[in-house]
Amino acid sequence: MSTWILRRPALPTLAWWKQWRPEVSTETLVASAALFFTLACNGLFWRSALAVHPGSLRLAASLFFLLTGVHALLLGLLVWRWNARIMLTVLLLVSLAAAHYMGRYHIYLDADMLRNILATDRKESGELITPSLLWPLALAATPAWCVWRVQLQRHAFPRAMLRRAALLLVAVAAIACGGLLASQDVSSLLRGHREVRYLATPANILVGLPRAMRGDNPVHHAPKLPIGTDARATPPAPGSKPRLLVIVVGETVRAANWGLNGYARQTTPELGGIGVVNFPDMHSCGTATEVSLPCMFSPWGRHDYDEARIRGHQSLLHVLEHAGIATLWRDNQSGCKGVCEGLAIERLDEATDPALCADGRCLDEILLEQLGEQARARPGDRVVVLHPLGNHGPSYFERYPARFRRYTPTCDTPDLGRCSREQIVNSYDNAVLYTDHLLRRTIDTLGRLDDYDTAMIYLSDHGESLGENGLYLHGLPWAIAPEQQTRVPMAMWFSAGFAADRKLDLACLRERATQRADHDNLFSSVLGLMQVRTSLYERQRDLFAGCAPEG
């Protein structure tokens, strides 16, 4: 009699991944990474590029070869067996995170935007770390795991160089093939939509980062070269009061939402009631603080723009100091971007005033605390710069106290993708209302300083996109930026004593205010207003020229 023994079939091991250790060459890993980047990290690139010629399979194939070839070429030059795992893991995480933010806010990663990222402080970066970031990080887990699981082949040096040369040759061939496959369409795309190249990820990072790191930047820093050492201030008339000029460099306020400019909502009711001089056609030098601040305080500005020269030299504030006019920078933001280097700066973003500060952030009225005392700390004429947090996104809802929540419903999260455009605009406009209040309080504070003749100049560093054409936030390359990011408000106020002492014709100034102005006017206008003589002064850029006697 036979005995049958039934055995349960062996189940596949659940630990297959522990045995998965394929052996591949570094060149194969590089080619695989290039293909992954092309397909997984370039959603906005594909949407933007193919929108130019919808339905063109030839263009799609051409761009596929171009993008993959460019990434293979760049990685082939940078990624070697000894650094492959770390380099590719970092690139995977950075590229997928970049693709997430680019797709969510329609931003472009050029050198200026990368410099902004390098200069971003922990508070600003913290606002951008939202739950929506978990998805791209999770997506990076699988390819990163594969990078660490594969075994990389070893080859003798001559053979390794031959294999690498072959990879680079194939990459160049792929680029050439892509260019020839749809040369006319690709040429049209690159001529008419040059900004698309800033969407190719991580090529935009690999190419833009060295430019962002070049010269003076948040990581590598060189001493500023002096300018305006010939500056001399006109001596004050006997018995006259010293002058105090406060320059408020607003953050991310755009002209389109400025009530004094005719916006449908009256977002500047307090300024509107005191007759400030408003400039409705004002234009910025850049689309981000990291560019605009050094530019607007420079003698070269946008009209003679040279980034290395601007960042490598001193600013308007140093020229004033050379002339004997003491300056002070009061900051509730991310610093002066080199504008006040070596000069007096007061960081108030870390203040602990319970009435104005909470959770590591302070409302902008903190800038007015002890303003008079700080102004009087040094005798004579003074120029004080206030740098508020203003409308810095995406957390517009945190920029104003509850009593300024006039427009509702609001977007009460930094993840703008979870809010409607109406909610986003409402929060933004509430922040403009608070800026209006801050400026009125600044004027009231200056009006109470009886021992000074006082004046205030307010201007924003750049604007903001609030959903127009799918764009949000700011920082687009200046040449292609929409006017929402480059048109900004500017307003001025002068005490009766200041206007009289300076013999300033306010009617004349109001007439000048109806004409176009830009950040390039600030340098010479402040010198002219404070009667500072220097070879750097340009009368044609002085907004007060013709409305007040020369120095």
Side-chain angles (χ1 to χ4, degrees), residues 348-429:
L348 298 170
D349 56 325
E350 299 288 351
T352 56
D353 186 331
L356 295 172
C357 305
D359 301 323
R361 282 287 195 195
C362 294
L363 293 169
D364 284 331
E365 287 173 276
I366 194 70
L367 294 168
L368 303 181
E369 296 296 298
Q370 298 184 331
L371 176 60
E373 291 84 342
Q374 290 297 327
R376 296 185 183 102
R378 289 174 65 178
D381 290 353
R382 294 220 64 180
V383 173
V384 176
V385 181
L386 305 183
H387 191 204
L389 194 56
N391 278 52
H392 195 288
S395 297
Y396 309 123
F397 69 101
E398 293 184 337
R399 307 299 178 238
Y400 53 89
R403 70 181 185 277
F404 286 89
R405 191 174 179 268
R406 181 176 305 174
Y407 304 113
T408 57
T410 54
C411 179
D412 298 329
T413 171
D415 189 351
L416 301 184
R418 297 170 57 188
C419 299
S420 68
R421 185 165 183 268
E422 177 193 11
Q423 291 174 309
I424 295 169
V425 172
N426 285 342
S427 294
Y428 185 89
D429 285 348

Side-chain angles (χ1 to χ4, degrees), residues 284-295:
S284 71
C285 182
T287 63
T289 307
E290 190 68 25
V291 174
S292 284
L293 273 190
C295 184

Side-chain angles (χ1 to χ4, degrees), residues 136-152:
L137 295 180
L139 186 60
T142 299
W145 177 79
C146 292
V147 166
W148 287 90
R149 291 299 295 174
V150 298
Q151 300 180 76
L152 297 178

Side-chain angles (χ1 to χ4, degrees), residues 398-533:
E398 293 184 337
R399 307 299 178 238
Y400 53 89
R403 70 181 185 277
F404 286 89
R405 191 174 179 268
R406 181 176 305 174
Y407 304 113
T408 57
T410 54
C411 179
D412 298 329
T413 171
D415 189 351
L416 301 184
R418 297 170 57 188
C419 299
S420 68
R421 185 165 183 268
E422 177 193 11
Q423 291 174 309
I424 295 169
V425 172
N426 285 342
S427 294
Y428 185 89
D429 285 348
N430 289 336
V432 178
L433 278 171
Y434 182 57
T435 292
D436 172 65
H437 176 71
L438 170 72
L439 296 177
R440 174 58 192 267
R441 273 209 60 201
T442 302
I443 291 169
D444 290 344
T445 301
L446 294 177
R448 290 193 294 269
L449 299 180
D450 296 332
D451 48 340
Y452 278 99
D453 288 331
T454 55
M456 182 198 76
I457 297 176
Y458 166 78
L459 73 169
S460 182
D461 58 351
H462 56 79
E464 187 88 327
S465 287
L466 297 175
E468 298 85 6
N469 300 314
L471 299 174
Y472 286 91
L473 302 181
H474 54 266
L476 262 71
W478 189 84
I480 63 165
E483 71 169 14
Q484 289 87 0
Q485 295 189 28
T486 60
R487 283 195 63 192
V488 295
M490 181 166 77
M492 300 179 182
W493 171 87
F494 306 92
S495 69
F498 192 105
D501 179 73
R502 192 62 186 85
K503 298 181 176 60
L504 183 60
D505 185 342
L506 293 181
C508 169
L509 185 60
R510 292 184 194 280
E511 176 62 28
R512 174 62 184 88
T514 63
Q515 305 170 34
R516 179 190 166 100
D518 53 44
H519 278 170
D520 289 12
N521 293 116
L522 181 67
F523 188 92
S524 290
S525 296
V526 170
L527 292 178
L529 187 65
M530 300 301 290
Q531 294 181 287
V532 173
R533 299 183 303 278

Side-chain angles (χ1 to χ4, degrees), residues 317 321 327-330 340-346 378 382:
L317 301 188
E321 290 275 354
T327 65
L328 171 64
W329 187 285
R330 306 194 91 201
C340 63
E341 181 180 299
L343 305 178
I345 180 172
E346 190 177 5
R378 289 174 65 178
R382 294 220 64 180

